[in-house]
Amino acid sequence: MNVAFIPVRGGSKSIPLKNIKPINGKPLVYWTIKAACNSEYIDKVFVASDSEIIKDTVKGFHFNKVSVIGRSSESASDTASTEFAMLEFAEAHYFDNIILIQATSPLLQSKHIDGGFQIFNGPNCDSVLSVVRQYRFIWKTDVSGAVIPMNYDVFHRPRRQEFGGYIMENGAFYITSRKALLKSKNRISGRILAYEMPENTAYEIDEPTDWLVVEQLMKKSVFIKQRKPIKMFLTDCDGCLTDGGMYYSECGDEMKKFNTRDGMAFSILKKQGVITGIITGENVDLNRRRAEKMGVDELCMGVNDKLSVVNELARKYDISLNEIVYVGDDINDLPILKAVGFSACPNDAIDDVKSVVSYVSPVKGGYGVIRDVIREAVL
């Protein structure tokens, strides 16, 4: 049995409770847990913490493979090594192999973990660690105080295309067997091989500046560029195009608040040839008038089974679900959000929706969230 072990302390000094601080719309530890759960090589994911707040947060993710366990105060102290926590875990649990995953590496993806296990399961390998290739010239100070180069000749400075670079631990993961861990008391031992991850995964989140850099990398590099081209953009109405409020005049007339930025967003989509649509459970004239003003291609109102409608639209336009963006905010949107190529929600969506979407916008429903999602998913 292969297990993932993710230790998360509650006592971070540089960024208090950083392991559950939201990054790209979700708690930091969510991203590595998700990567581990999506790996075909991992049978069980153990998240070990000394913090009840962190434990409760992780339990709220509802991943089937995850077990939340405690850890001793000694293993969670500022001076304790990660090996201390790993050995504590290994002595209390049976497994064959373990992958240590650092919560501070949210750029980690399941494909990286799978690649690491493929190397580990290959011939003549006892441990695997994740690395990145760097193309930097490294210097060190000698005993006299002068600096000398470590990895190149200053009289023959290589160009990047001629320079093999060097590999550096990025701290994302380490794989070894339980037997080797207990024997060596170390996360890696024996014949160690490396799995090379993309260069931008060199960042670990230790300081506030790291946070800002990694969050932008997550938005622009990992989660957006891997999807297929978008051919259709669909959204719910109330809570997405509107703020979800119900307004009434003195005469009893119903009113809704839409945002002009979203109207501009649909105009941008139309110019790019993207099919647009609104799918809503309501059947009111207000929605129809707004859809007509925005020039929406498809308006589906009074819908109970939204996923069936999306499947019909996909067949009508001969496109796949992977080529569709959908924005939703509530429980009746979940089937679509899990099925389409790119899913998003406003910042004030329910937690169940936030846990499954590709992107959680920082913008609330009715305040231009569609414009924000289009910038992330299409432009």
Side-chain angles (χ1 to χ4, degrees):
M1 179 173 68
N2 297 329
V3 302
F5 180 66
I6 307 177
V8 281
R9 295 194 310 130
S12 172
K13 297 294 190 296
S14 58
I15 307 174
L17 284 175
K18 72 176 178 182
N19 290 306
I20 56 172
K21 177 180 169 67
I23 183 168
N24 206 42
K26 292 186 174 65
L28 173 62
V29 70
Y30 170 90
W31 299 109
T32 47
I33 293 175
K34 181 180 180 181
C37 288
N38 288 339
S39 168
E40 61 180 276
Y41 288 89
I42 293 178
D43 302 297
K44 193 78 175 176
V45 179
F46 290 90
V47 180
S49 182
D50 60 322
S51 165
E52 294 303 318
I53 297 175
I54 293 177
K55 290 180 186 177
D56 289 342
T57 300
V58 173
K59 289 174 183 177
F61 295 158
H62 304 298
F63 287 113
N64 291 332
K65 290 184 180 180
V66 174
S67 289
V68 181
I69 60 174
R71 56 189 292 190
S72 68
S73 57
E74 291 83 5
S75 74
S77 69
D78 292 336
T79 57
S81 67
T82 300
E83 274 76 6
F84 189 108
M86 292 179 71
L87 290 166
E88 184 179 73
F89 169 75
E91 288 165 358
H93 297 81
Y94 176 79
F95 53 88
D96 296 305
N97 305 304
I98 183 172
I99 177 170
L100 168 67
I101 296 177
Q102 308 276 37
T104 51
S105 299
L107 292 166
L108 176 69
Q109 298 176 61
S110 58
K111 68 177 183 180
H112 303 143
I113 295 172
D114 291 346
F117 269 104
Q118 288 165 10
I119 295 173
F120 180 73
N121 292 335
N124 199 18
C125 178
D126 298 309
S127 300
V128 175
L129 77 161
S130 61
V131 301
V132 295
R133 188 167 296 275
Q134 296 279 293
Y135 296 89
R136 302 287 186 271
F137 297 131
I138 307 301
W139 292 68
K140 67 177 181 180
T141 305
D142 67 15
V143 293
S144 70
V147 293
I148 55 176
M150 295 179 62
N151 65 341
Y152 85 110
D153 181 350
V154 294
F155 295 103
H156 298 90
R157 180 183 291 268
R159 296 179 299 170
R160 183 183 174 98
Q161 58 266 37
E162 301 168 339
F163 182 46
Y166 63 95
I167 58 174
M168 177 188 78
E169 284 188 45
N170 67 349
F173 70 79
Y174 304 83
I175 306 173
T176 194
S177 67
R178 180 175 185 269
K179 181 179 179 180
L181 172 63
L182 292 173
K183 181 180 179 180
S184 68
K185 311 297 183 186
N186 204 338
R187 68 186 74 183
I188 47 177
S189 61
R191 187 169 190 267
I192 303 167
L193 300 182
Y195 175 81
E196 191 170 323
M197 289 176 60
E199 189 176 2
N200 63 7
T201 63
Y203 289 96
E204 286 187 89
I205 296 180
D206 293 315
E207 301 297 334
T209 51
D210 301 328
W211 196 282
L212 298 175
V213 172
V214 171
E215 187 161 40
Q216 289 305 310
L217 287 172
M218 291 174 73
K219 288 181 178 180
K220 300 301 181 184
S221 179
V222 177
F223 301 98
I224 304 304
K225 292 183 179 179
Q226 290 180 349
R227 69 179 192 284
K228 292 184 176 180
I230 298 303
K231 294 184 178 179
M232 180 179 286
F233 188 100
L234 304 172
T235 182
D236 181 28
C237 186
D238 290 325
C240 295
L241 287 169
T242 78
D243 61 2
M246 304 295 287
Y247 303 93
Y248 295 92
S249 69
E250 288 290 337
C251 300
D253 297 323
E254 182 180 344
M255 296 178 289
K256 295 184 179 184
K257 182 175 93 58
F258 294 91
N259 193 287
T260 57
R261 293 191 185 94
D262 291 338
M264 177 59 70
F266 276 94
S267 176
I268 292 170
L269 289 173
K270 295 283 285 184
K271 290 178 181 178
Q272 295 195 7
V274 178
I275 302 160
T276 58
I278 298 172
I279 302 176
T280 175
E282 278 198 322
N283 191 355
V284 295
D285 194 51
L286 277 173
N287 295 342
R288 180 178 289 105
R289 295 204 305 269
R290 181 58 178 161
E292 289 175 353
K293 186 171 183 179
M294 292 191 299
V296 173
D297 296 304
E298 297 286 346
L299 174 63
C300 305
M301 299 195 297
V303 177
N304 292 320
D305 185 353
K306 292 187 174 185
L307 183 56
S308 293
V309 170
V310 173
N311 282 321
E312 290 175 9
L313 291 174
R315 286 191 292 270
K316 176 180 177 179
Y317 290 96
D318 191 25
I319 62 176
S320 71
L321 293 179
N322 282 335
E323 297 169 315
I324 298 175
V325 173
Y326 184 79
V327 184
D329 72 308
D330 213 335
I331 192 168
N332 59 338
D333 297 307
L334 285 172
I336 305 178
L337 294 168
K338 294 176 181 178
V340 297
F342 188 90
S343 56
C345 71
N347 190 257
D348 53 350
I350 64 170
D351 289 340
D352 285 348
V353 166
K354 288 183 176 181
S355 69
V356 301
V357 296
S358 311
Y359 174 64
V360 178
S361 172
V363 182
K364 293 182 178 180
Y367 288 85
V369 65
I370 304 301
R371 182 71 182 88
D372 177 68
V373 171
I374 287 174
R375 183 175 62 247
E376 291 295 326
V378 181
L379 300 182

